[in-house]
Amino acid sequence: MTNKNLIDLEAMSVEQVGKLVKKARKIMQSPADYRHACDGKILATLFYEPSTRTQMSFQTAMLKLGGRTIGFDNPMNSSVAKGENLKDTVSVISGYADIIAMRHPVEGTAMAASLYSSVPVINCGDGGHLHPTQTLTDIVTLSCEKNRLDHLKIGVCGDLLNGRTVHSLIKALSKYEGNSFVLISTPELSVPLYITDILEKRGCKYEISHSLADAVHDLDVLYMTRIQRERFKSAEEYEAQKNVFVLDREKLDRARADMIIMHPLPRVNEITVDIDDDPRALYFKQAQYGMYGRMALILLLLQDEDFLLSERPTELCAQRCNNPKCVTQYEAYLPNRSYKKLGMQMCDFCDKRID
Ligand code: CP
């Protein structure tokens, strides 16, 4: 089965990612050719969680394509404040807009929204789960700056446990030949097992490191991430983790001259500002590449009938997902949708095992 919703980048084939990158690069070369490509179309941005880049780059992308935007960036200014559920909000807005981009702090919310939307839904981040358009941003950046998506040694550093950008990126890049990863984090914030399972299944080499200074010397790409205060249960736990990994001039001096530094942003303290002028620091340019990637995505979802994303087979199960961060815990009407993985029943919304 196929659809037009981008919930998880796993639904997009390597060929489709290649098509999107090619289109993004064409838009960059001649933006004027696309000035009226989405005349008359409306993008709704439903942001239940703060955002600078994702929300504004989607809005700018649609405006640059000739379309218009509606939406909210604070659900308390919408009828969500009166208790409206997700199903009703999405059912109504999909009658106003041609495409919906949404962010929500709860895992699986974009997937849930797609069940009730008559127009494509794009996941712009669902809790600590996934952030597929950040990964498209990263892929466009790598393609433009490294001229390849394969045979790269990528160091990912920071909160690898809760970092949805990192999970999406590792999953996506592990599909390309010869890529290897250095996973740099504290033991408490190491990548979830399902991510290393994917790496092993795909025959992708990886190392685990607890030292940025040791790991940085032979990387093609260093992908820094923020320690996310909002994902911790207590201030004490956050305080113990913040500032453990900081890329400063001394560590950067150990890196190769052609290594690039990426960061999904926002940055807190994990890259010192004196590095911003180093030619290897690409994080601000990366945010701009993201806008072109999102322009390409909007065009492909709205105008290319053949650009369909794969949908995994699901079934209804008797048991409800018991992940406290899953949307099924908040939206009571949702069905108990699941899929099978290695004989286990997995929640179709948050991808956690149902047991
Ligand atoms: N990278 C990213 O998602 O940034 P925002 O939170 O500002 O959208």
Side-chain angles (χ1 to χ4, degrees):
M1 277 165 59
T2 55
N3 61 43
K4 283 275 189 185
N5 303 306
L6 178 59
I7 307 301
D8 183 344
L9 203 57
E10 289 290 290
M12 207 184 270
S13 67
V14 167
E15 291 71 30
Q16 286 174 315
V17 171
K19 190 172 185 176
L20 184 142
V21 170
K22 204 169 156 191
K23 189 165 274 295
R25 294 183 77 151
K26 270 182 85 174
I27 299 169
M28 279 177 229
Q29 277 158 14
S30 23
D33 293 352
Y34 296 87
R35 214 176 277 155
H36 298 289
C38 282
D39 277 357
K41 298 290 182 194
I42 293 176
L43 164 78
T45 53
L46 312 186
F47 276 63
Y48 293 73
E49 193 184 55
S51 166
T52 297
R53 279 145 291 274
T54 313
Q55 186 188 26
M56 290 195 206
S57 65
F58 259 115
Q59 291 170 340
T60 312
M62 191 47 135
L63 294 172
K64 280 180 175 279
L65 293 168
R68 294 170 188 223
T69 69
I70 58 170
F72 55 76
D73 56 16
N74 179 353
M76 290 302 113
N77 292 335
S78 77
S79 285
V80 174
K82 301 173 202 160
E84 185 167 67
N85 68 22
L86 179 79
K87 176 179 188 284
D88 293 0
T89 301
V90 169
S91 302
V92 170
I93 290 171
S94 69
Y96 300 155
D98 299 283
I99 188 163
I100 294 174
M102 75 176 298
R103 171 174 290 186
H104 201 286
V106 173
E107 296 179 12
T109 303
M111 163 64 90
S114 73
L115 300 181
Y116 305 104
S117 174
S118 55
V119 300
V121 173
I122 301 170
N123 184 5
C124 294
D126 57 333
H129 185 216
L130 299 166
H131 191 353
T133 67
Q134 179 61 49
T135 305
L136 290 175
T137 295
D138 302 339
I139 284 177
V140 172
T141 305
L142 287 171
S143 166
C144 293
E145 296 291 335
K146 282 290 190 191
N147 259 319
R148 66 183 197 276
L149 295 173
D150 52 18
H151 297 94
L152 292 167
K153 185 164 185 178
I154 304 133
V156 286
C157 178
D159 184 352
L160 308 190
L161 176 66
N162 301 301
R164 58 193 175 195
T165 59
V166 169
H167 301 166
S168 291
L169 182 72
I170 294 174
K171 280 162 68 175
L173 290 181
S174 63
K175 290 181 182 168
Y176 296 84
E177 203 182 324
N179 284 340
S180 61
F181 296 89
V182 186
L183 308 172
I184 310 157
S185 73
T186 61
E188 294 81 9
L189 296 182
S190 56
V191 284
L193 271 180
Y194 89 93
I195 294 288
T196 45
D197 282 351
I198 289 173
L199 290 175
E200 281 164 24
K201 197 170 137 205
R202 293 181 182 165
C204 215
K205 286 189 193 152
Y206 69 92
E207 299 162 37
I208 290 173
S209 170
H210 302 308
S211 165
L212 176 57
D214 291 345
V216 78
H217 66 97
D218 66 342
L219 300 175
D220 296 300
V221 181
L222 174 59
Y223 195 94
M224 294 295 295
T225 62
R226 175 174 66 97
I227 305 298
Q228 303 174 82
R229 184 198 294 262
E230 65 274 25
R231 310 278 178 232
F232 286 84
K233 287 197 194 96
S234 69
E236 291 72 33
E237 283 176 76
Y238 169 69
E239 290 296 321
Q241 295 293 333
K242 73 169 196 193
N243 301 337
V244 174
F245 298 106
V246 177
L247 180 66
D248 54 17
R249 174 56 57 190
E250 196 184 332
K251 292 189 197 80
L252 187 58
D253 284 344
R254 293 167 170 239
R256 294 202 330 240
D258 65 346
M259 185 191 81
I260 62 169
I261 309 162
M262 296 172 66
H263 191 311
L265 303 178
R267 158 180 59 182
V268 184
N269 291 320
E270 57 280 357
I271 301 178
T272 56
V273 289
D274 58 319
I275 283 173
D276 294 352
D277 295 329
D278 190 290
R280 290 169 286 187
L282 282 186
Y283 25 92
F284 299 126
K285 206 169 173 191
Q286 182 184 350
Q288 198 179 12
Y289 283 129
M291 181 190 68
Y292 291 110
R294 289 174 175 118
M295 287 172 83
L297 178 65
I298 291 171
L299 283 176
L300 289 168
L301 291 179
L302 288 184
Q303 296 184 351
D304 186 335
E305 284 179 11
D306 297 330
F307 197 84
L308 294 167
L309 304 176
S310 68
E311 202 175 312
R312 63 192 163 207
T314 56
E315 53 195 61
L316 294 179
C317 73
Q319 214 171 330
R320 197 145 183 91
C321 175
N322 62 5
N323 170 15
K325 296 176 179 172
C326 179
V327 66
T328 53
Q329 302 291 318
Y330 297 87
E331 306 283 339
Y333 52 86
L334 286 173
N336 296 344
R337 279 168 64 111
S338 68
Y339 64 95
K340 285 245 167 68
K341 192 173 107 179
L342 302 171
M344 294 180 293
Q345 207 78 29
M346 312 297 288
C347 174
D348 195 36
F349 298 100
C350 70
D351 292 305
K352 300 290 182 307
R353 185 177 172 180
I354 300 175
D355 47 25

